[in-house]
């Protein structure tokens, strides 16, 4: 196996859960060139991965249709000239299926349940196993008879370069998600910060602004590169947030992660890491997988998770971290 291309364009959480595939392929074929194609937003996450030799950008948005078509043509030309021996389509949509079909790769493998007609373009298909979601990607390794190995994401946190923050000395809050129904009530974040005045909190993410003016909160909301976000998450004492990409990134970096689940099913899409704690409320309607809540009391599945529950989890995590630090000094 000389050259391998992985297609997984988005989103952040899915890309992270698929990363062990690159590591498995590297174990199986250590001398092969492994390339990964994704949207440009994930360049800094993938280009420096130890198991990935080259990052290829799949065009997403351009100012004009003509510019988009030109970039797509260049993308296809660059793929065809590589003469891949193996192409894995882990995106499973029409655009990835078409690229797979036109790539000229000797082996074109995609998911059995690919959507938008993508299954018409594969030579081989992988049957998806039962949840959790990460098993969908690991199934590609089993299909290729790659020997089982440790679940290694190949991610390492870079140095922390923000004045006033030290490794293990703060907790990251990421309050945003693409679905409104995934959002923990924003007022709860302020209540949580006020209930733990001895803890330094750092809030990150992009979304509607809401006030977090407590003295123990550092507000870094807005655009952060994946490298900087990785450094912030990887050096934190813990991370708190809904089912979203940064929760998967923090967990993959080995950071204690508290994930608040409402409309999605934690058995399907929970982050994977050394210390991932799932918090949910006992409502009869969840998980519903809805982006809009039809209930009279909107999003009770999340609003019924009291800030006191998060506070107690964080106190336990911080106390454990302090004990470990004291033992290391003895």
């Amino acid at each position: 196996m000389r050259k391998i291309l992985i297609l997984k364009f988005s989103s952040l959480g899915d890309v992270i859960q698929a990363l062990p595939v690159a590591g498995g392929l590297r174990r199986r074929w250590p001398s092969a060139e492994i390339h990964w194609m994704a949207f440009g937003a994930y360049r800094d996450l993938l280009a420096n991965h130890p198991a990935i030799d080259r990052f290829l950008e799949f065009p997403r948005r351009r100012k004009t249709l003509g510019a988009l078509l030109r970039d797509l043509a260049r993308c296809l030309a660059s793929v065809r000239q590589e003469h891949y021996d193996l192409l894995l389509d882990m995106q499973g949509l029409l655009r990835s299926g078409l690229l797979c079909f036109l790539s000229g790769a000797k082996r074109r493998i995609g998911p059995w349940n690919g959507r938008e007609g993508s299954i018409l373009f594969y030579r081989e298909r992988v049957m998806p196993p039962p949840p959790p979601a990460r098993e969908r990607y690991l199934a590609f390794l089993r299909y290729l008879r790659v020997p089982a190995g440790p679940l290694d994401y190949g991610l390492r946190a870079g140095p922390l370069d923000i004045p006033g923050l030290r490794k293990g000395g703060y907790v990251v809050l990421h309050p945003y998600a693409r679905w409104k129904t995934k959002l923990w009530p924003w007022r709860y974040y302020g209540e949580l910060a006020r209930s733990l005045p001895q803890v330094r909190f750092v809030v990150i993410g992009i979304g509607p602004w809401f006030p977090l003016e407590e003295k123990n909160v550092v507000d870094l909301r807005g655009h952060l590169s994946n490298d900087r976000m990785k450094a912030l998450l990887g050096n934190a004492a813990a991370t708190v947030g809904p089912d979203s990409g940064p929760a998967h990134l923090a967990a993959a970096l080995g950071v204690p992660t508290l994930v608040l689940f409402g409309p999605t099913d934690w058995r399907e899409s929970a982050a994977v890491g050394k210390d991932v704690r799932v918090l949910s409320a006992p409502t009869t309607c969840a998980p519903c997988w809805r982006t809009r809540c039809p209930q009279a009391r909107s999003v009770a599945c999340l609003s019924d998770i009291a800030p006191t529950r998060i506070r107690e989890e964080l106190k336990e995590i911080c106390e454990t971290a302090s004990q470990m630090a004291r033992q290391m000094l003895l």
Side-chain angles (χ1 to χ4, degrees):
M1 198 68 67
R2 190 178 55 89
K3 281 190 179 181
I4 302 169
L5 176 62
I6 298 170
L7 303 181
K8 186 59 185 171
F9 303 151
S10 65
S11 56
L12 178 59
D14 294 322
V15 168
I16 290 167
Q17 291 209 44
L19 283 175
V21 174
L25 295 174
R26 175 62 68 212
R27 288 197 313 272
R28 175 67 179 83
W29 293 289
S31 62
E33 282 190 41
I34 300 174
H35 300 178
W36 190 303
M37 180 175 285
F39 293 145
Y42 308 111
R43 177 183 295 276
D44 52 353
L45 184 69
L46 297 168
N48 299 316
H49 192 279
I52 298 171
D53 297 296
R54 183 183 174 194
F55 172 82
L56 301 175
E57 180 178 348
F58 186 83
R60 186 175 189 182
R61 293 189 182 96
R62 297 295 184 264
K63 291 183 178 179
T64 65
L65 177 60
L68 177 61
L69 292 175
R70 284 194 297 273
D71 283 351
L72 285 171
R74 292 192 193 101
C75 175
L76 176 59
S78 67
V79 168
R80 289 186 63 84
Q81 71 182 10
E82 294 290 344
H83 303 290
Y84 289 107
D85 300 293
L86 173 64
L87 191 152
L88 303 181
D89 180 7
M90 297 193 294
Q91 192 70 30
L93 296 176
L94 176 61
R95 55 191 170 188
S96 60
L98 274 171
L99 182 62
C100 182
F101 177 70
L102 298 172
S103 67
K106 295 176 182 177
R107 295 185 70 181
R108 305 192 302 269
I109 306 175
W112 187 272
N113 59 345
R115 293 174 289 163
E116 301 176 352
S118 59
I119 60 174
L120 300 173
F121 304 116
Y122 307 134
R123 284 181 172 170
E124 303 169 61
R125 288 191 286 163
V126 175
M127 180 67 73
R134 67 179 181 275
E135 293 299 321
R136 291 199 301 263
Y137 309 120
L138 296 177
F140 281 83
L141 295 182
R142 290 191 288 269
Y143 179 83
L144 291 166
R145 298 182 181 179
V146 174
L151 194 68
D152 184 9
Y153 292 89
L155 297 174
R156 304 292 182 268
L160 192 63
D161 61 352
I162 299 173
L165 298 181
R166 59 178 178 79
K167 181 177 176 62
Y170 60 93
V171 171
V172 172
L173 303 176
H174 180 267
Y176 300 107
R178 289 186 180 181
W179 298 7
K180 290 182 179 179
T181 50
K182 286 186 177 184
L183 300 178
W184 198 44
W186 287 332
R187 68 183 183 278
Y188 285 1
Y189 288 97
E191 291 180 29
L192 176 64
R194 288 191 295 273
S195 71
L196 291 169
Q198 74 278 17
V199 175
R200 174 70 63 88
F201 290 94
V202 177
V203 58
I204 65 171
I206 300 174
W209 184 87
F210 63 93
L212 266 176
E213 300 172 350
E214 286 68 26
K215 293 181 180 180
N216 57 332
V217 173
V218 178
D219 196 338
L220 295 180
R221 283 177 288 185
H223 178 74
L224 289 173
S225 68
N226 284 319
D227 275 345
R228 200 172 195 205
M229 181 167 61
K230 187 167 59 173
L232 268 170
L233 294 171
N235 288 288
T239 295
V240 179
D243 177 23
S244 62
H248 287 278
L249 181 55
L253 288 164
V255 174
T257 306
L258 279 63
V259 192
L260 311 175
F261 271 86
T264 52
D265 191 343
W266 64 269
R267 292 161 294 192
E268 164 72 20
S269 54
V272 181
K274 294 178 181 177
D275 188 358
V276 176
R277 308 185 184 198
V278 171
L279 292 98
S280 59
T283 52
T284 58
C285 55
C288 65
W289 297 98
R290 290 175 179 263
T291 57
R292 293 186 179 183
C293 181
Q295 304 298 325
R297 197 161 69 88
S298 183
V299 199
C301 55
L302 284 163
S303 60
D304 283 355
I305 304 174
T308 52
R309 286 184 63 188
I310 312 299
R311 182 190 66 199
E312 294 308 311
E313 293 284 350
L314 286 178
K315 285 174 66 176
E316 181 184 329
I317 290 170
C318 292
E319 287 172 3
T320 301
S322 297
Q323 291 171 3
M324 291 177 63
R326 285 195 296 269
Q327 290 173 0
M328 290 175 67
L329 292 173
L330 293 177

